[in-house]
Amino acid sequence: MDSLPPYVPRPPVAPPAPRMSPVAPTHDQARPSRFHSSPLHIVVYAVVIFAFWNIPGARTLINPLKLFTIGWHELCHISLAILTGGSVMKVCIDPDMGGATIVSGGHPPTILAAGYVGSTIFGGLFIMAGFDTLVSKIMSFVLGVGLIAPLALVRNKLTILLTVVYEGLLVGFWFIDHARSCKRRQALRWYCLFIGVMNALYVVWDIADDKYFRKANDSDATQWSLLYPRIPAHVWATLWIIFEIAVLTGFVLLGIAAFKRTPDEMYAEAGYHLMCNNHLQTRIASRYPLYPTLNAVDPSPPSSLPLVL
Protein backbone atom coordinates (compact mmCIF):
# COMPACT_ATOMS: atom_id res chain seq x y z
CA MET A 1 0.00 0.00 0.00
CA ASP A 2 1.45 3.29 -1.10
CA SER A 3 1.99 5.77 1.63
CA LEU A 4 0.04 8.99 1.52
CA PRO A 5 1.91 12.16 0.52
CA PRO A 6 3.07 14.32 3.36
CA TYR A 7 0.55 16.80 4.65
CA VAL A 8 1.08 20.31 3.37
CA PRO A 9 -0.71 22.95 5.43
CA ARG A 10 -2.86 25.38 3.49
CA PRO A 11 -1.82 29.01 3.59
CA PRO A 12 -4.01 31.13 5.81
CA VAL A 13 -6.89 32.87 4.06
CA ALA A 14 -6.56 36.61 4.17
CA PRO A 15 -9.49 38.44 5.71
CA PRO A 16 -11.65 40.40 3.31
CA ALA A 17 -10.34 43.85 2.58
CA PRO A 18 -12.23 46.55 4.44
CA ARG A 19 -14.70 48.45 2.30
CA MET A 20 -13.96 52.13 1.97
CA SER A 21 -16.78 54.61 2.21
CA PRO A 22 -17.41 56.41 -1.11
CA VAL A 23 -17.08 59.78 0.61
CA ALA A 24 -13.91 58.84 2.49
CA PRO A 25 -11.05 60.90 1.00
CA THR A 26 -8.00 59.19 -0.42
CA HIS A 27 -4.61 59.89 1.10
CA ASP A 28 -3.97 62.62 -1.45
CA GLN A 29 -7.42 64.17 -0.94
CA ALA A 30 -7.17 64.12 2.85
CA ARG A 31 -3.94 66.09 3.10
CA PRO A 32 -3.79 69.68 1.83
CA SER A 33 -1.43 69.89 -1.13
CA ARG A 34 -0.91 71.81 -4.33
CA PHE A 35 -2.32 68.85 -6.29
CA HIS A 36 -5.71 68.19 -4.67
CA SER A 37 -8.53 70.41 -3.49
CA SER A 38 -9.49 70.06 0.16
CA PRO A 39 -11.88 71.66 2.65
CA LEU A 40 -8.93 73.69 3.97
CA HIS A 41 -8.48 75.32 0.57
CA ILE A 42 -12.17 76.27 0.54
CA VAL A 43 -11.86 77.91 3.97
CA VAL A 44 -8.78 79.84 2.85
CA TYR A 45 -10.53 80.99 -0.32
CA ALA A 46 -13.57 82.11 1.69
CA VAL A 47 -11.35 84.26 3.94
CA VAL A 48 -9.51 85.76 0.95
CA ILE A 49 -12.75 86.54 -0.91
CA PHE A 50 -14.29 88.12 2.20
CA ALA A 51 -11.23 90.37 2.53
CA PHE A 52 -11.17 91.40 -1.12
CA TRP A 53 -14.93 91.93 -1.17
CA ASN A 54 -14.86 94.33 1.78
CA ILE A 55 -11.48 96.11 1.79
CA PRO A 56 -11.71 99.45 -0.05
CA GLY A 57 -9.41 99.49 -3.05
CA ALA A 58 -9.06 95.71 -3.13
CA ARG A 59 -12.76 95.50 -4.04
CA THR A 60 -11.98 96.98 -7.43
CA LEU A 61 -9.50 94.22 -8.29
CA ILE A 62 -12.21 91.55 -8.29
CA ASN A 63 -14.89 93.61 -10.04
CA PRO A 64 -15.11 91.24 -13.06
CA LEU A 65 -15.59 88.25 -10.76
CA LYS A 66 -18.17 90.18 -8.74
CA LEU A 67 -20.06 91.06 -11.92
CA PHE A 68 -20.05 87.38 -12.89
CA THR A 69 -21.32 86.32 -9.46
CA ILE A 70 -23.94 89.07 -9.13
CA GLY A 71 -25.04 88.60 -12.74
CA TRP A 72 -25.76 84.91 -12.25
CA HIS A 73 -27.62 85.67 -9.01
CA GLU A 74 -29.88 88.17 -10.76
CA LEU A 75 -30.35 85.82 -13.73
CA CYS A 76 -31.82 83.27 -11.32
CA HIS A 77 -34.30 85.89 -10.08
CA ILE A 78 -35.20 86.81 -13.66
CA SER A 79 -35.69 83.18 -14.73
CA LEU A 80 -38.07 82.34 -11.89
CA ALA A 81 -39.94 85.60 -12.33
CA ILE A 82 -40.70 84.67 -15.93
CA LEU A 83 -41.49 81.04 -15.08
CA THR A 84 -43.98 82.08 -12.37
CA GLY A 85 -45.82 84.45 -14.68
CA GLY A 86 -44.19 87.72 -13.66
CA SER A 87 -42.58 90.40 -15.78
CA VAL A 88 -39.19 92.02 -15.26
CA MET A 89 -39.38 95.79 -14.98
CA LYS A 90 -35.74 96.67 -14.30
CA VAL A 91 -32.39 94.94 -13.68
CA CYS A 92 -29.31 96.44 -12.02
CA ILE A 93 -25.93 94.70 -11.87
CA ASP A 94 -23.23 96.81 -10.26
CA PRO A 95 -20.10 95.69 -8.36
CA ASP A 96 -20.50 98.51 -5.80
CA MET A 97 -24.27 98.98 -5.50
CA GLY A 98 -24.99 95.25 -5.82
CA GLY A 99 -27.69 93.65 -7.91
CA ALA A 100 -31.42 94.25 -8.06
CA THR A 101 -34.26 92.85 -10.13
CA ILE A 102 -37.58 94.69 -10.01
CA VAL A 103 -40.45 92.35 -10.87
CA SER A 104 -44.15 92.81 -11.37
CA GLY A 105 -46.38 89.82 -10.63
CA GLY A 106 -45.18 86.25 -10.32
CA HIS A 107 -44.70 84.35 -7.02
CA PRO A 108 -42.54 86.55 -4.75
CA PRO A 109 -41.20 83.83 -2.36
CA THR A 110 -40.15 81.62 -5.26
CA ILE A 111 -38.54 84.50 -7.14
CA LEU A 112 -36.70 85.70 -4.03
CA ALA A 113 -35.47 82.21 -3.06
CA ALA A 114 -34.15 81.59 -6.58
CA GLY A 115 -31.23 83.98 -6.06
CA TYR A 116 -29.48 82.30 -3.14
CA VAL A 117 -30.48 78.79 -4.23
CA GLY A 118 -29.24 79.32 -7.78
CA SER A 119 -25.96 80.90 -6.63
CA THR A 120 -25.31 78.06 -4.19
CA ILE A 121 -25.92 75.27 -6.71
CA PHE A 122 -23.96 77.08 -9.42
CA GLY A 123 -21.07 77.57 -7.01
CA GLY A 124 -21.27 73.91 -6.02
CA LEU A 125 -20.72 72.87 -9.64
CA PHE A 126 -17.60 75.01 -9.82
CA ILE A 127 -16.40 73.55 -6.51
CA MET A 128 -16.75 70.07 -8.00
CA ALA A 129 -14.72 71.31 -10.97
CA GLY A 130 -11.97 72.08 -8.48
CA PHE A 131 -11.59 68.33 -7.90
CA ASP A 132 -11.07 67.25 -11.52
CA THR A 133 -9.14 68.64 -14.49
CA LEU A 134 -11.63 67.55 -17.16
CA VAL A 135 -14.62 69.06 -15.34
CA SER A 136 -12.69 72.28 -14.73
CA LYS A 137 -11.98 72.57 -18.46
CA ILE A 138 -15.68 72.12 -19.25
CA MET A 139 -16.75 74.69 -16.64
CA SER A 140 -14.09 77.12 -17.87
CA PHE A 141 -16.20 77.68 -21.02
CA VAL A 142 -19.11 78.79 -18.81
CA LEU A 143 -16.80 81.10 -16.88
CA GLY A 144 -15.33 82.55 -20.08
CA VAL A 145 -18.74 83.48 -21.45
CA GLY A 146 -19.92 84.73 -18.06
CA LEU A 147 -16.98 87.12 -17.72
CA ILE A 148 -17.52 88.62 -21.15
CA ALA A 149 -21.32 88.99 -20.98
CA PRO A 150 -21.43 91.90 -18.48
CA LEU A 151 -19.13 93.96 -20.71
CA ALA A 152 -22.22 94.83 -22.75
CA LEU A 153 -23.27 97.08 -19.86
CA VAL A 154 -19.89 98.10 -18.45
CA ARG A 155 -18.35 101.46 -19.36
CA ASN A 156 -15.61 101.61 -16.71
CA LYS A 157 -12.24 101.23 -18.46
CA LEU A 158 -10.49 99.66 -15.45
CA THR A 159 -13.19 97.02 -15.13
CA ILE A 160 -12.92 96.24 -18.84
CA LEU A 161 -9.13 95.93 -18.51
CA LEU A 162 -9.43 93.66 -15.48
CA THR A 163 -11.93 91.50 -17.35
CA VAL A 164 -9.40 91.07 -20.16
CA VAL A 165 -6.80 90.08 -17.55
CA TYR A 166 -9.08 87.47 -15.97
CA GLU A 167 -9.96 86.09 -19.41
CA GLY A 168 -6.26 85.91 -20.22
CA LEU A 169 -5.59 83.99 -17.00
CA LEU A 170 -8.40 81.60 -17.86
CA VAL A 171 -6.97 80.89 -21.32
CA GLY A 172 -3.45 80.62 -19.94
CA PHE A 173 -4.45 78.19 -17.19
CA TRP A 174 -6.32 76.10 -19.79
CA PHE A 175 -3.09 75.44 -21.69
CA ILE A 176 -0.81 75.32 -18.63
CA ASP A 177 -2.76 72.23 -17.58
CA HIS A 178 -1.05 70.45 -20.52
CA ALA A 179 2.46 71.61 -19.66
CA ARG A 180 5.15 69.08 -18.92
CA SER A 181 5.58 69.92 -15.26
CA CYS A 182 3.02 68.09 -13.13
CA LYS A 183 3.31 70.75 -10.44
CA ARG A 184 1.76 73.33 -12.75
CA ARG A 185 -1.23 71.35 -13.96
CA GLN A 186 -3.61 72.50 -11.25
CA ALA A 187 -4.05 76.23 -11.99
CA LEU A 188 -7.39 75.91 -13.77
CA ARG A 189 -8.85 73.77 -11.00
CA TRP A 190 -7.84 76.35 -8.38
CA TYR A 191 -9.43 79.07 -10.53
CA CYS A 192 -12.72 77.15 -10.72
CA LEU A 193 -12.61 76.40 -7.00
CA PHE A 194 -12.19 80.11 -6.25
CA ILE A 195 -15.19 80.98 -8.44
CA GLY A 196 -17.18 78.19 -6.81
CA VAL A 197 -16.59 79.50 -3.29
CA MET A 198 -17.45 83.05 -4.39
CA ASN A 199 -20.83 81.91 -5.76
CA ALA A 200 -21.69 79.26 -3.18
CA LEU A 201 -21.26 81.69 -0.26
CA TYR A 202 -22.81 84.68 -2.00
CA VAL A 203 -25.16 85.35 0.91
CA VAL A 204 -22.12 86.18 3.10
CA TRP A 205 -20.81 88.81 0.68
CA ASP A 206 -24.33 90.14 0.07
CA ILE A 207 -24.92 90.69 3.78
CA ALA A 208 -21.42 92.15 4.27
CA ASP A 209 -22.18 94.76 1.61
CA ASP A 210 -25.34 95.66 3.52
CA LYS A 211 -23.55 95.96 6.84
CA TYR A 212 -20.28 97.66 5.93
CA PHE A 213 -21.06 99.66 2.78
CA ARG A 214 -24.80 100.36 3.04
CA LYS A 215 -25.19 99.59 -0.65
CA ALA A 216 -28.14 101.07 -2.52
CA ASN A 217 -29.64 97.66 -3.39
CA ASP A 218 -30.65 95.68 -0.30
CA SER A 219 -29.55 92.11 0.23
CA ASP A 220 -32.01 89.28 -0.28
CA ALA A 221 -32.03 88.68 3.49
CA THR A 222 -33.38 92.21 3.95
CA GLN A 223 -35.97 91.57 1.26
CA TRP A 224 -37.07 88.41 3.08
CA SER A 225 -37.60 90.45 6.26
CA LEU A 226 -39.77 92.86 4.26
CA LEU A 227 -41.75 89.97 2.80
CA TYR A 228 -42.20 88.33 6.22
CA PRO A 229 -41.84 91.17 8.79
CA ARG A 230 -42.11 88.90 11.83
CA ILE A 231 -38.68 87.39 11.09
CA PRO A 232 -35.80 89.92 11.23
CA ALA A 233 -33.15 90.14 8.53
CA HIS A 234 -30.34 88.67 10.64
CA VAL A 235 -32.40 85.51 11.25
CA TRP A 236 -33.00 85.13 7.51
CA ALA A 237 -29.29 85.67 6.92
CA THR A 238 -28.40 82.95 9.43
CA LEU A 239 -30.83 80.48 7.88
CA TRP A 240 -29.46 81.08 4.38
CA ILE A 241 -25.86 80.80 5.56
CA ILE A 242 -26.66 77.42 7.15
CA PHE A 243 -28.32 76.34 3.90
CA GLU A 244 -25.33 77.38 1.80
CA ILE A 245 -22.80 75.67 4.08
CA ALA A 246 -24.87 72.47 4.01
CA VAL A 247 -25.10 72.48 0.20
CA LEU A 248 -21.41 73.37 -0.14
CA THR A 249 -20.50 70.45 2.14
CA GLY A 250 -22.64 68.13 0.01
CA PHE A 251 -20.85 69.18 -3.18
CA VAL A 252 -17.44 68.73 -1.50
CA LEU A 253 -18.38 65.17 -0.47
CA LEU A 254 -19.70 64.52 -3.98
CA GLY A 255 -16.43 65.77 -5.44
CA ILE A 256 -14.42 63.53 -3.12
CA ALA A 257 -16.54 60.50 -4.01
CA ALA A 258 -16.60 61.09 -7.77
CA PHE A 259 -13.01 62.15 -8.48
CA LYS A 260 -10.56 59.82 -6.79
CA ARG A 261 -7.80 60.32 -9.35
CA THR A 262 -4.15 61.26 -9.25
CA PRO A 263 -2.96 64.38 -11.12
CA ASP A 264 -1.45 62.20 -13.86
CA GLU A 265 -4.71 60.30 -14.33
CA MET A 266 -6.66 63.55 -14.56
CA TYR A 267 -4.15 64.87 -17.10
CA ALA A 268 -4.53 61.75 -19.24
CA GLU A 269 -8.33 61.82 -19.04
CA ALA A 270 -8.57 65.51 -19.96
CA GLY A 271 -6.13 65.06 -22.83
CA TYR A 272 -8.06 62.10 -24.21
CA HIS A 273 -11.48 63.75 -24.13
CA LEU A 274 -10.64 67.33 -25.10
CA MET A 275 -7.64 67.23 -27.42
CA CYS A 276 -8.28 66.55 -31.10
CA ASN A 277 -4.65 65.85 -32.03
CA ASN A 278 -4.37 62.08 -32.61
CA HIS A 279 -0.60 62.18 -32.20
CA LEU A 280 -0.98 63.87 -28.81
CA GLN A 281 -3.62 61.35 -27.74
CA THR A 282 -1.34 58.46 -28.67
CA ARG A 283 1.58 60.05 -26.82
CA ILE A 284 -0.58 60.50 -23.71
CA ALA A 285 -1.77 56.90 -23.89
CA SER A 286 1.80 55.59 -24.16
CA ARG A 287 2.90 57.68 -21.19
CA TYR A 288 -0.13 57.07 -18.99
CA PRO A 289 -1.69 53.58 -19.18
CA LEU A 290 -5.06 54.89 -17.99
CA TYR A 291 -6.40 54.73 -21.54
CA PRO A 292 -4.40 51.92 -23.23
CA THR A 293 -6.89 51.56 -26.09
CA LEU A 294 -5.69 54.84 -27.54
CA ASN A 295 -2.67 53.07 -29.03
CA ALA A 296 -4.97 50.90 -31.08
CA VAL A 297 -6.99 53.76 -32.52
CA ASP A 298 -6.79 53.93 -36.31
CA PRO A 299 -7.91 57.40 -37.47
CA SER A 300 -8.29 56.27 -41.10
CA PRO A 301 -11.81 55.23 -42.18
CA PRO A 302 -12.43 51.64 -43.26
CA SER A 303 -12.05 50.92 -46.96
CA SER A 304 -15.64 49.75 -47.35
CA LEU A 305 -18.79 49.97 -45.31
CA PRO A 306 -22.16 48.29 -45.85
CA LEU A 307 -24.72 50.70 -47.24
CA VAL A 308 -28.00 50.74 -45.32
CA LEU A 309 -31.00 52.53 -46.85
Side-chain angles (χ1 to χ4, degrees), residues 25 29-30 32 36-45 131 193 248 252-253 256:
Q29 290 174 327
H36 287 277
S37 304
S38 71
L40 179 60
H41 294 120
I42 294 175
V43 173
V44 171
Y45 277 174
F131 286 86
L193 186 65
L248 186 150
V252 169
L253 294 177
I256 291 174

Side-chain angles (χ1 to χ4, degrees), residues 214-235:
R214 306 295 180 183
K215 61 178 183 177
N217 299 319
D218 293 331
S219 68
D220 284 8
T222 302
Q223 292 297 318
W224 278 104
S225 67
L226 296 176
L227 192 61
Y228 298 99
R230 293 187 177 182
I231 304 177
H234 69 273
V235 174

Side-chain angles (χ1 to χ4, degrees), residues 81-260:
I82 296 173
L83 291 176
T84 57
S87 57
V88 178
M89 309 298 292
K90 182 181 178 182
V91 178
C92 173
I93 301 174
D94 188 275
D96 297 319
M97 293 190 299
T101 301
I102 300 176
V103 177
S104 175
H107 189 255
T110 302
I111 299 170
L112 194 54
Y116 286 154
V117 173
S119 293
T120 306
I121 295 176
F122 191 58
L125 295 176
F126 272 97
I127 288 174
M128 286 189 64
F131 286 86
D132 185 75
T133 300
L134 176 61
V135 180
S136 67
K137 287 183 177 294
I138 295 172
M139 294 301 293
S140 67
F141 291 103
V142 178
L143 177 57
V145 174
L147 286 173
I148 293 176
L151 292 183
L153 304 174
V154 173
R155 297 296 178 265
N156 184 282
K157 293 182 179 179
L158 179 59
T159 301
I160 295 174
L161 177 61
L162 289 171
T163 302
V164 173
V165 171
Y166 281 111
E167 284 284 359
L169 288 174
L170 184 64
V171 174
F173 291 162
W174 214 99
F175 289 102
I176 284 175
D177 271 15
H178 284 282
R180 291 182 179 181
S181 173
C182 178
K183 295 180 180 180
R184 295 181 179 180
R185 289 184 198 145
Q186 318 306 318
L188 187 61
R189 294 200 291 118
W190 296 133
Y191 199 163
C192 287
L193 186 65
F194 188 87
I195 296 298
V197 175
M198 183 176 286
N199 280 269
L201 296 178
Y202 178 73
V203 61
V204 178
W205 333 130
D206 197 27
I207 295 167
D209 272 344
D210 257 2
K211 182 175 179 61
Y212 298 115
F213 294 95
R214 306 295 180 183
K215 61 178 183 177
N217 299 319
D218 293 331
S219 68
D220 284 8
T222 302
Q223 292 297 318
W224 278 104
S225 67
L226 296 176
L227 192 61
Y228 298 99
R230 293 187 177 182
I231 304 177
H234 69 273
V235 174
W236 283 113
T238 303
L239 293 175
W240 279 111
I241 289 174
I242 293 173
F243 166 79
E244 290 194 339
I245 292 176
V247 175
L248 186 150
T249 302
F251 274 104
V252 169
L253 294 177
L254 187 58
I256 291 174
F259 305 119
K260 295 181 181 296

